[in-house]
């Protein structure tokens, strides 16, 4: 097979991708047999391109699956960990904006009792 291109793979459906992946894997196994038996150099040199093609096909399959799952979980309260944004550990554990801006009952009482002073300065 010739070298596959990612943008061409993205247009294909899941069944087509799985069929192509199966074809690539069978070709790769045949090439490995040829390598062991001392086949021609042209066959042995194709192993690298076929391996890369298998990797590209698997990458596109996984990418399509993840985008479908992201679409499924959009707007839901909980989301699987592998679909969440990575960020840093500290940022993941930090309070969210609405949690950070909330006030305790005591703070609200104190803010009402002792509001911020306003000064009029004459210059």
């Amino acid at each position: 097979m010739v070298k596959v291109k990612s943008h061409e793979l993205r247009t294909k459906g899941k069944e087509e991708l799985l069929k192509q992946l199966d074809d690539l894997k069978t070709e790769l196994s045949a090439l490995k047999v040829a390598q062991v038996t001392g086949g021609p150099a042209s066959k042995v040199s194709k192993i690298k391109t076929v391996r890369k093609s298998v990797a590209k096909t698997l990458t596109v399959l996984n990418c399509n699956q993840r985008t479908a799952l992201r679409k499924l979980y959009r707007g839901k309260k909980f989301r699987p960990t592998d679909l969440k944004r990575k960020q840093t550990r500290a940022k993941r554990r930090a309070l969210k904006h609405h949690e950070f801006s909330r006030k305790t009952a005591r703070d609200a009482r104190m803010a009402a009792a002792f509001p911020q002073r306003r000064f009029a300065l004459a210059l």
Side-chain angles (χ1 to χ4, degrees), residues 50-63:
V50 175
R51 282 179 58 237
K52 301 293 181 185
S53 299
V54 167
K56 282 182 187 178
T57 308
L58 283 171
T59 301
V60 170
L61 266 170
N62 289 332
C63 188

Side-chain angles (χ1 to χ4, degrees), residues 6-119:
S6 295
H7 66 90
E8 293 171 359
L9 291 175
R10 291 184 198 286
T11 60
K12 295 183 178 182
K14 184 179 178 183
E15 292 78 22
E16 293 174 359
L17 287 172
L18 289 172
K19 184 180 180 307
Q20 183 168 4
L21 182 65
D22 193 38
D23 294 341
L24 286 169
K25 284 186 176 181
T26 54
E27 183 181 357
L28 182 62
S29 64
L31 289 173
K32 285 188 176 183
V33 168
Q35 181 185 24
V36 170
T37 58
S42 61
K43 276 195 170 186
V44 174
S45 62
K46 271 180 66 174
I47 290 177
K48 181 179 177 183
T49 57
V50 175
R51 282 179 58 237
K52 301 293 181 185
S53 299
V54 167
K56 282 182 187 178
T57 308
L58 283 171
T59 301
V60 170
L61 266 170
N62 289 332
C63 188
N64 289 346
Q65 185 179 16
R66 287 173 71 84
T67 52
L69 283 172
R70 278 199 179 97
K71 202 178 288 184
L72 178 71
Y73 282 102
R74 185 173 291 141
K76 299 273 174 38
K77 185 173 181 182
F78 296 110
R79 187 179 302 166
T81 311
D82 60 333
L83 295 180
K84 292 180 183 177
R85 291 184 57 200
K86 177 72 173 140
Q87 298 182 324
T88 60
R89 189 169 192 266
K91 283 187 178 181
R92 287 195 307 264
R93 278 149 181 74
L95 291 174
K96 306 298 179 248
H97 182 70
H98 70 278
E99 295 168 339
F100 186 75
S101 61
R102 285 187 67 188
K103 291 189 174 187
T104 62
R106 183 173 189 269
D107 283 339
R109 221 173 33 247
M110 294 294 280
F114 305 102
Q116 182 76 41
R117 291 185 179 180
R118 293 192 185 91
F119 296 99

